């Protein structure tokens, strides 16, 4: 979580390099956070030798079949080289609407009280 907070606090775009399931989960979380309006940064995927072609095809199919908002499909940008990916990320402009306004997922708006301060 500490790494994610630093990522969100950095005003520039950031990259995530994928490894195993946990890192893929992080990728999907960053895409979701963009949908919710928690950040407005591009999410980049370095697709060396087409390694993630099937994952990208899954996202495309989800958008075609209505499981992923078509405009949200463009949150994730990918390229086969680091130079091309950085260029795409620098040129990224947000084109999707948030799927839920920020206040709808804030704890205070859900009717939950803030956690009491811990006794010191």
């Amino acid at each position: 979580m500490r790494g994610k907070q630093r990522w969100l606090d950095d005003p520039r775009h950031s990259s995530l390099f994928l490894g195993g399931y946990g890192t893929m989960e992080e990728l999907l979380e960053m895409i979701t956070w963009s949908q919710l309006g928690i950040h407005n940064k591009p999410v980049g995927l370095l697709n060396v030798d087409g390694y993630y072609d099937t994952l990208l095809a899954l996202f495309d199919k989800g958008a075609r079949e209505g499981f992923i908002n078509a405009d949200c499909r463009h949150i994730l940008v990918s390229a086969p080289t680091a130079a091309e990916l950085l260029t795409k990320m620098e040129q990224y402009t947000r084109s999707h609407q948030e799927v839920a306004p920020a206040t709808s997922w804030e704890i205070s708006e859900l009717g939950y009280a803030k956690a009491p301060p811990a006794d010191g």
Side-chain angles (χ1 to χ4, degrees), residues 33-92:
W33 283 11
S34 181
Q35 283 185 299
L36 293 173
I38 295 173
H39 73 82
N40 292 319
K41 300 176 183 184
V43 179
L45 180 66
L46 185 58
N47 188 19
V48 176
D49 293 331
Y51 183 79
Y52 293 107
D53 285 351
T54 53
L55 180 64
L56 295 168
L58 176 66
F59 295 159
D60 291 338
K61 181 178 181 175
R64 275 192 316 274
E65 295 186 5
F67 292 102
I68 297 171
N69 290 344
D71 58 343
C72 290
R73 170 59 186 90
H74 302 289
I75 293 169
L76 180 67
V77 295
S78 66
T81 67
E84 187 178 344
L85 180 60
L86 289 174
T87 298
K88 285 183 173 185
M89 292 178 76
E90 289 169 354
Q91 295 172 348
Y92 175 84

Side-chain angles (χ1 to χ4, degrees), residues 8-29:
L8 287 173
D9 292 341
D10 186 343
R12 301 165 296 158
H13 57 266
S14 297
S15 298
L16 178 66
F17 296 97
L18 294 180
Y21 289 136
T23 311
M24 286 189 187
E25 183 273 332
E26 295 286 335
L27 170 73
L28 295 174
E29 185 172 31

